[in-house]
């Protein structure tokens, strides 16, 4: 496991030993991969085939359209992250502290290295980034994906990875004495 700088002082990403890319780069590569996305939406058609996603404009019979929506949202999110970097460096809102939201659940009692989540730029958003707050406006991306269910536990792909990745990274940070941004 290794910490990779995305935007110095503000955004970092974990790189797991089994992957050549940092989680930030892995997830954005996935969100831009039309073949992956069409397969994802085809295999998870039943998750899209509900009133919530249909009212939000997704069609379970058109995985290509859903894939294009993810690509557009990912593109907008990448641009928005650049705005957040600029705002964070100039002490202007919105900044990363406003963008990320505490994950809660089993992590609600943590006072440092708090797990957080963020949404993409669409409403409702299909995209999620999961991170650990290292310091004010300093975050470490640990995972990301497409959220189709009402909860992480009911979302394909996310349910099998989010909490495992967060727990592994929290253990890594603690084992390596990383408690704030000065330690990165």
């Amino acid at each position: 496991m290794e910490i990779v700088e995305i935007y110095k002082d503000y955004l970092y990403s974990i790189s797991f030993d089994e992957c050549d890319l940092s989680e930030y780069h892995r997830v954005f590569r996935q969100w831009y991969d039309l073949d992956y996305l069409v397969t994802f939406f085809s295999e998870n058609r039943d998750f899209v085939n509900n009133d919530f996603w249909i009212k939000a404009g997704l069609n379970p019979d058109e995985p290509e359209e859903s894939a294009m929506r993810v690509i557009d949202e990912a593109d907008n999110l990448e641009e928005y992250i650049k705005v957040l970097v600029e705002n964070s460096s100039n002490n202007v809102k919105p900044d990363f502290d406003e963008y990320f939201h505490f994950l809660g659940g089993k992590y609600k009692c943590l006072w440092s290295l708090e797990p957080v989540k963020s949404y993409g730029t669409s409403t409702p958003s299909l995209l999620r980034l999961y991170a650990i707050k290292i310091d004010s406006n300093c975050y470490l991306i640990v995972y990301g994906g497409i959220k189709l269910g009402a909860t992480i536990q009911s979302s394909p792909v996310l349910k099998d990875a989010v909490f495992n990745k967060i727990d592994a990274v929290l253990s890594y940070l603690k084992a390596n004495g990383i408690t704030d941004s000065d330690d990165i």
Side-chain angles (χ1 to χ4, degrees):
M1 210 176 291
E2 175 185 3
I3 295 175
V4 176
E5 179 183 296
I6 305 299
Y7 290 103
K8 185 174 176 32
D9 297 327
Y10 302 105
L11 195 63
Y12 297 85
S13 181
I14 204 72
S15 179
F16 292 101
D17 295 336
E18 66 273 8
C19 188
D20 293 339
L21 298 171
S22 72
E23 282 300 297
Y24 179 89
H25 292 105
R26 179 200 63 79
V27 75
F28 274 99
R29 180 178 284 179
Q30 205 171 60
W31 289 341
Y32 286 122
D33 184 337
L34 184 61
D35 291 333
Y36 167 81
L37 293 169
V38 169
T39 300
F40 177 84
F41 283 106
S42 296
E43 290 175 352
N44 295 292
R45 180 187 185 285
D46 291 344
F47 287 91
V48 177
N49 192 20
N50 68 55
D51 287 342
F52 179 80
W53 286 117
I54 290 171
K55 286 179 184 173
L58 295 184
N59 181 342
D61 298 321
E62 297 292 336
E64 295 83 4
E65 288 179 17
S66 297
M68 290 309 298
R69 179 169 164 172
V70 167
I71 291 170
D72 288 343
E73 192 174 343
D75 189 50
N76 291 335
L77 180 55
E78 267 196 309
E79 291 304 312
Y80 188 60
I81 287 172
K82 292 175 187 174
V83 170
L84 294 173
V85 169
E86 184 69 25
N87 288 355
S88 295
S89 68
N90 293 317
N91 294 317
V92 175
K93 304 290 183 193
D95 57 10
F96 280 113
D97 286 341
E98 285 190 356
Y99 174 64
F100 284 103
H101 308 278
F102 293 108
L103 195 53
K106 75 180 203 171
Y107 303 110
K108 67 182 175 188
C109 294
L110 292 180
W111 296 102
S112 65
L113 300 176
E114 298 161 292
V116 295
K117 64 182 173 184
S118 71
Y119 308 95
T121 55
S122 296
T123 303
S125 175
L126 290 161
L127 307 184
R128 295 292 186 278
L129 286 174
Y130 297 93
I132 294 174
K133 182 177 182 177
I134 304 295
D135 251 332
S136 178
N137 282 312
C138 182
Y139 292 83
L140 174 64
I141 303 295
V142 299
Y143 196 69
I146 298 169
K147 186 169 183 253
L148 293 178
T151 65
I152 291 171
Q153 294 88 341
S154 66
S155 293
V157 181
L158 295 183
K159 68 179 179 180
D160 297 327
V162 172
F163 299 123
N164 291 336
K165 299 286 187 179
I166 290 171
D167 291 344
V169 174
L170 285 171
S171 294
Y172 170 81
L173 295 174
K174 290 174 185 174
N176 288 282
I178 300 169
T179 60
D180 59 32
S181 58
D182 292 335
D183 300 328
I184 294 181

